Amino acid sequence: MTNFDYSKIPIGYYDQVLTEGLRNKRGLQSCWHHIKFKYVKNAMEEYESHLDIACGPGTFIGTYLDSRSVGIDISSEQIQYAKKTYSRYEKNFICHDITKGVLQDKQYDVITLLEFIEHIPPEEVNILLKTLYEMLDQKGKIIITTPNYKGLWPFLEKLVSLIGPVDYKYQHINKYTVKRIKEEINFKNVSVKKYINFGIFTSFFNHNAALKFENYLSKIFNCFFGYSLLIIIKKN
């Protein structure tokens, strides 16, 4: 894990950024996370059980999903925030360190790991993924998101670091590209898709315009300029 002191980030910061952005219908970070959550939800397809690893303040489950999902996080403060903010799913948020063992003797249709693997050393990634793979049911899948460090992401990272209170330079220690994913993620059935293009920049002015422009660019360029990676590992 990076030496960055995550306690310096206010509890619930990212949840509040998204909530405020959706309410005001503008903002780069909020639009970015909104698109991410929508892409992941779509990739989940049909499911009955879902585990969200490193769920943080509970935004994904609380805003986009339902009671079929369970979120775990190592931070008790984040879990308490999630329980309070999304109280209808209070029992679905659990403080737990997945590296210390599985949560319970249960298998899941979908396990999500969003914006996390860039924060841990490369040698820890496959160890974690093997643990999660064993927690899948026979047709289950792991869905991962992480920045794409080939292309314009480094510029976007610097921009967000400048305009916001968090400097990602000190958090993102594991920088993935499509090539690295294919070389280092050691599973047979792995797919990688790029998403989020430069249409995202219009979200400074309006979310709806940004979403339409983003969708248009994605189709025209087939996400060639994608700043983020959506990785899916299927068990069968």
Side-chain angles (χ1 to χ4, degrees):
M1 184 72 74
T2 173
N3 291 324
F4 179 80
D5 183 2
Y6 287 90
S7 66
K8 292 182 178 179
I9 302 176
I11 301 301
Y13 167 75
Y14 293 107
D15 182 73
Q16 293 163 15
V17 165
L18 177 67
T19 301
E20 182 179 351
L22 292 178
R23 182 173 61 249
N24 297 330
K25 297 182 179 180
R26 61 185 298 270
L28 179 60
Q29 276 188 300
S30 56
C31 193
W32 178 284
H33 290 298
H34 180 57
I35 292 174
K36 173 186 66 181
F37 289 138
K38 288 183 65 177
Y39 260 86
V40 174
K41 182 179 181 180
N42 184 62
M44 290 171 69
E45 300 179 310
E46 295 295 324
Y47 68 96
E48 293 298 327
S49 59
H50 161 235
L51 179 64
D52 188 28
I53 305 294
C55 69
T59 310
F60 185 37
I61 293 174
T63 302
Y64 296 86
L65 303 177
D66 53 44
S67 59
R68 291 174 294 174
S69 298
V70 172
I72 67 172
D73 199 281
I74 195 173
S75 168
S76 60
E77 291 86 359
Q78 294 279 27
I79 291 298
Q80 287 304 313
Y81 176 95
K83 286 177 176 288
K84 181 178 180 180
T85 305
Y86 301 105
S87 56
R88 65 191 181 280
Y89 302 134
E90 180 180 1
K91 295 181 180 179
N92 297 64
F93 296 112
I94 302 170
C95 185
H96 180 72
D97 183 353
I98 194 64
T99 65
K100 305 299 183 183
V102 299
L103 184 63
Q104 55 184 331
D105 187 18
K106 179 179 179 178
Q107 293 183 310
Y108 295 89
D109 297 326
V110 182
I111 298 175
T112 52
L113 193 62
L114 310 182
E115 307 298 315
F116 181 75
I117 62 174
E118 63 270 20
H119 296 270
I120 62 176
E123 61 272 14
E124 294 183 13
V125 173
N126 274 315
I127 295 174
L128 174 60
L129 293 181
K130 287 177 182 177
T131 298
L132 301 184
Y133 190 84
E134 294 303 317
M135 297 171 64
L136 293 173
D137 66 17
Q138 291 185 349
K139 295 184 179 181
K141 57 186 173 183
I142 302 170
I143 302 175
I144 306 164
T145 64
T146 193
N148 175 20
Y149 274 89
K150 184 173 183 179
L152 295 176
W153 166 259
F155 167 76
L156 183 58
E157 181 176 270
K158 289 179 181 178
L159 178 63
V160 173
S161 296
L162 283 173
I163 65 177
V166 178
D167 192 336
Y168 291 96
K169 174 176 66 175
Y170 299 105
Q171 293 190 54
H172 295 174
I173 62 172
N174 194 9
K175 302 180 179 182
Y176 281 103
T177 63
V178 173
K179 182 179 179 181
R180 269 199 66 200
I181 292 292
K182 291 180 177 180
E183 291 176 347
E184 298 180 19
I185 301 297
N186 299 320
F187 295 89
K188 291 182 179 179
N189 196 347
V190 180
S191 63
V192 187
K193 180 180 179 180
K194 292 185 285 186
Y195 73 104
I196 300 187
N197 301 275
F198 48 86
I200 192 74
F201 290 106
T202 57
S203 62
F204 277 117
F205 309 103
N206 184 271
H207 269 192
N208 292 333
L211 292 172
K212 290 179 181 179
F213 191 33
E214 177 68 19
N215 185 53
Y216 175 75
L217 291 174
S218 297
K219 291 179 179 179
I220 292 295
F221 296 104
N222 195 27
C223 286
F224 179 81
F225 300 102
Y227 302 145
S228 280
L229 302 177
L230 181 74
I231 306 154
I232 299 178
I233 301 171
K234 293 184 178 180
K235 197 159 189 177
N236 288 310

